[in-house]
Amino acid sequence: VMLFILILLKVSLVYSFKPNWKPKFLPSVLSSSIYSAPRSDVETLQKNYFDEILQQFTLKLTDFSESYNVKNWEHESLSGSVEWWDETKGSKLTGVSKYSIHDSSEKNPYSCYSINVWLGPTLLVPNLLLQMGHKSDGYFLTTDYIARGPYPIGNDFNYLDSYYSNKHIESYYDEIFRLDGVKHLPPSPSFAARLIQSPIHVSAGGLSLSDLQKFSSLHVHTWLQYMKDATPVEARQRGA
């Protein structure tokens, strides 16, 4: 899992410096042609959610992004920042990635902020994926819980009931796409990104700020509660 994460980050960020290139495995909202670039509201949400993660886990900032010269980067109209955090104590997490991408061009301005939490072998709680941003037609949100464990998703009905079929998840998925003006965003062109998506993957555009706050908060806080309630798995089930 760690190797897969490192490869994705390396490809996304090192090659971001190529002219006219945008990371293909990021949600395709980033390739839209009309954006606006207000950043403070979404940046504040990212900071608040990350602070809550820090309160629940003991994390330390690594030098991973510095080693690839992408901690703070710029290329033409594009700029961004990347952080990789490890656990200082415990073995619940493989790590946490936190990054931002911005385009300040007049033609294609946008802002995008992300937090992804990747678990270690001791728990089977799904990995947390969160991406938020803003463009001209409103705010956008991409969320998912990436399944973990020794069995393919769908084979363990207890796992599905625990993390994918509870009332919070069902109401979240149904409600967000009933909002006026909200639309499904096209799937990522990356096969690797589509391969790991769960049945409750959500990618919605045209949101208001209050809608973004509501649904991103529900996504993060539901996952944090999963982690509080989780118990370590038996040794024979680890390593998946």
Side-chain angles (χ1 to χ4, degrees):
V1 174
M2 184 62 181
L3 178 60
F4 175 73
I5 297 168
L6 293 177
I7 292 173
L8 286 182
L9 284 172
K10 180 178 180 181
V11 172
S12 174
L13 298 167
V14 173
Y15 285 89
S16 292
F17 297 96
K18 288 188 174 183
N20 302 318
W21 187 92
K22 292 185 177 63
K24 289 186 176 181
F25 63 80
L26 294 176
S28 53
V29 65
L30 300 184
S31 61
S32 177
S33 61
I34 304 176
Y35 290 91
S36 183
R39 296 159 60 158
S40 60
D41 292 331
V42 186
E43 186 175 15
T44 298
L45 283 177
Q46 184 197 43
K47 179 182 183 303
N48 291 343
Y49 295 145
F50 190 74
D51 286 345
E52 291 189 62
I53 292 171
L54 286 177
Q55 291 176 8
Q56 191 160 327
F57 306 99
T58 305
L59 303 177
K60 60 180 179 181
L61 181 63
T62 72
D63 62 355
F64 172 80
S65 58
E66 291 181 341
S67 65
Y68 286 96
N69 297 318
V70 292
K71 183 175 182 179
N72 293 285
W73 58 269
E74 293 183 10
H75 176 70
E76 297 179 350
S77 64
L78 294 171
S79 63
S81 63
V82 182
E83 295 177 359
W84 178 267
W85 294 71
D86 283 340
E87 271 191 297
T88 303
K89 298 179 180 179
S91 58
K92 294 180 179 179
L93 307 180
T94 296
V96 180
S97 63
K98 176 188 175 191
Y99 67 83
S100 65
I101 302 175
H102 312 286
D103 191 336
S104 59
S105 66
E106 294 183 4
K107 183 179 179 181
N108 299 316
Y110 66 82
S111 291
C112 175
Y113 296 84
S114 180
I115 299 174
N116 299 325
V117 185
W118 305 91
L119 271 71
T122 62
L123 298 174
L124 296 184
V125 175
N127 303 301
L128 171 73
L129 271 66
L130 171 69
Q131 190 171 73
M132 309 170 289
H134 187 278
K135 58 174 189 160
S136 62
D137 64 352
Y139 295 88
F140 61 85
L141 174 67
T142 297
T143 64
D144 205 354
Y145 296 141
I146 304 300
R148 291 180 44 74
Y151 308 110
I153 188 169
N155 284 18
D156 185 343
F157 289 101
N158 289 329
Y159 192 82
L160 289 176
D161 290 342
S162 297
Y163 300 120
Y164 295 97
S165 300
N166 60 63
K167 63 180 181 180
H168 300 294
I169 297 300
E170 291 174 354
S171 63
Y172 167 83
Y173 192 90
D174 292 338
E175 186 179 350
I176 192 169
F177 289 111
R178 291 176 181 170
L179 298 172
D180 292 337
V182 172
K183 58 187 178 183
H184 287 273
L185 297 178
S188 169
S190 166
F191 175 78
R194 297 194 305 274
L195 184 65
I196 65 172
Q197 290 175 359
S198 82
I200 60 166
H201 172 87
V202 167
S203 194
L207 296 165
S208 67
L209 177 58
S210 61
D211 292 332
L212 176 67
Q213 292 171 327
K214 174 182 178 180
F215 291 107
S216 61
S217 175
L218 178 60
H219 181 67
V220 172
H221 292 123
T222 297
W223 182 86
L224 288 173
Q225 190 61 51
Y226 286 163
M227 292 296 291
K228 289 180 180 178
D229 296 340
T231 56
V233 299
E234 297 180 14
R236 62 185 176 82
Q237 292 182 296
R238 298 180 184 178

